[in-house]
Amino acid sequence: GQNIDQPTEMTATEGAIVQINCTYQTSGFNGLFWYQQHAGEAPTFLSYNVLDGLEEKGRFSSFLSRSKGYSYLLLKELQMKDSASYLCAVSLAGKSTFGDGTTLTVKP
Amino acid sequence: DTGVSQNPRHKITKRGQNVTFRCDPISEHNRLYWYRQTLGQGPEFLTYFQNEAQLEKSRLLSDRFSAERPKGSFSTLEIQRTEQGDSAMYLCASSLSGSGTYNEQFFGPGTRLTVL
């Protein structure tokens, strides 16, 4: 089975850095996705990690440790528009299993 | 617009009625997924197709749910004898699988189902 844990809510200040953690216990693993979902909208792809280490894409970075079953999403220079839910998803055999998401609120 | 589209966007029905939703994926994508999402939860996997073949169906999915992708393009999800617990957002996603791809999924806007 798959068990994916993320904090339910986080709050951060505009311009700051925030780290959203994800831990997983799965029966198999190909890679790990991060998606962003604004309220009332569909999820959109942010990043994908298959090997251990850090992947950087502009203000967003994602880290993976396969041996620890751990990932994080790092958001730098936070903007108000980054207020959203961030979903961690484990990929195996063509399908993805999602966590319940972390709702990030960015305050001025 | 060449993204994933879903119809209808909203559906209100009475308990016991049948409903059908349609998803049109990105044209070159060979995989198509259906998810269900309720407030405060992540998308819950229902089923997925590679071309016209249904490769996996969630064990949580009752026999009232059926999905098809007859020509490997659009897909339909039918729920028979709807129950109030079926009220949710139904999301469709598509992806391109193969070497050199991440197989990242592109989501449609969803169909919000309300069962009265």
Side-chain angles (χ1 to χ4, degrees), chain A residues 37 41-43 85 87 99-100, chain B residues 35-44 46 87-91 112:
Chain A
Q37 187 174 27
E41 298 182 10
S85 179
L87 299 162
D100 286 336
Chain B
Y35 294 90
R36 176 171 60 191
Q37 188 175 29
T38 54
L39 195 62
Q41 308 285 313
E44 176 191 14
L46 295 179
S87 296
M89 176 72 84
Y90 289 83
L91 293 166
R112 181 166 295 284

Side-chain angles (χ1 to χ4, degrees), chain A residues 53-94:
Chain A
L54 189 68
E55 294 281 342
E56 297 187 75
K57 292 176 76 173
R59 294 190 299 115
F60 292 6
S61 303
S62 56
F63 172 84
L64 176 67
S65 170
R66 296 175 68 121
S67 61
K68 295 182 179 178
Y70 168 69
S71 175
Y72 67 73
L73 181 69
L74 194 70
L75 291 77
K76 303 176 185 176
E77 301 169 14
L78 280 172
Q79 302 175 8
M80 299 298 291
K81 68 178 183 179
D82 296 330
S83 292
S85 179
Y86 291 85
L87 299 162
C88 166
V90 169
S91 173
L92 175 64

Side-chain angles (χ1 to χ4, degrees), chain B residues 93-109:
Chain B
S94 69
S95 71
L96 180 64
S97 70
S99 62
T101 70
Y102 289 162
N103 196 32
E104 72 267 31
Q105 295 176 32
F106 294 81
F107 284 82

